[in-house]
Amino acid sequence: MAKALILTDNTSLEFGAPRYLGPYRIADELEKLGIKTTVIDHFFSFPDILGLIEKIIDDSYLIVGISSTFMTPPAVSGHKRTGRTLDYFSSAVVHRDNSEILNWFSKLKSIVRKKSPAAKIFLGGTKASRFLDPPLNSCADIDFLVLGAADSAF
């Protein structure tokens, strides 16, 4: 059976940490097509997300999808309501510097190609269009950039 992995993040503590529905909508559409789909929420909050992905993926995976909507750099700050100091993602654009995100995608692609050579890496979400402009457009590790409503594009 074909499989898909979708990574999504919504770690803004300003508004709590609800799940973002876009990836689940895509998962539902893929399941209708007979593709068993796993969604990992808050994926950048895992200490070793790439290690986890390496354990999950096997040669039955055809899709690794990433939502860029909440893909932003980690920041340490006090939560306004509780005053606790927590790691969370700020509202800045994608990552602290471009080399950080480009390096992350390179490592991801290496793992995906090793474990499932036929799998394709998709990037969608509201910040995906930032990968059309320099310097992020140099990222050769994304197979497909999905602009607009991904559930319709799939």
Side-chain angles (χ1 to χ4, degrees), residues 25-116:
R25 170 73 198 232
I26 294 166
D28 183 57
E29 294 299 322
L30 291 172
E31 293 273 345
K32 288 178 186 174
L33 296 171
I35 300 172
K36 183 174 176 2
T37 305
T38 301
V39 177
I40 298 178
D41 283 320
H42 311 288
F43 74 97
F44 271 130
S45 66
F46 285 81
D48 183 17
I49 187 60
L50 292 172
L52 178 62
I53 291 168
E54 190 165 19
K55 289 178 183 175
I56 291 172
I57 290 186
D58 60 32
D59 63 357
S60 63
Y61 278 81
L62 298 178
I63 297 168
V64 175
I66 302 148
S67 171
S68 69
T69 301
F70 298 103
M71 189 167 40
T72 53
V76 177
S77 179
H79 187 279
K80 289 183 180 178
R81 285 179 281 197
T82 65
R84 292 180 296 166
T85 300
L86 301 168
D87 289 331
Y88 74 99
F89 281 60
S90 74
S91 60
V93 178
V94 189
H95 268 255
R96 281 182 287 251
D97 67 52
N98 296 315
S99 63
E100 184 180 356
I101 193 65
L102 294 173
N103 184 46
W104 189 86
F105 273 110
S106 178
K107 289 177 182 177
L108 174 67
K109 187 168 189 172
S110 176
I111 291 167
V112 170
R113 290 296 177 263
K114 179 175 76 172
K115 301 291 278 189
S116 183

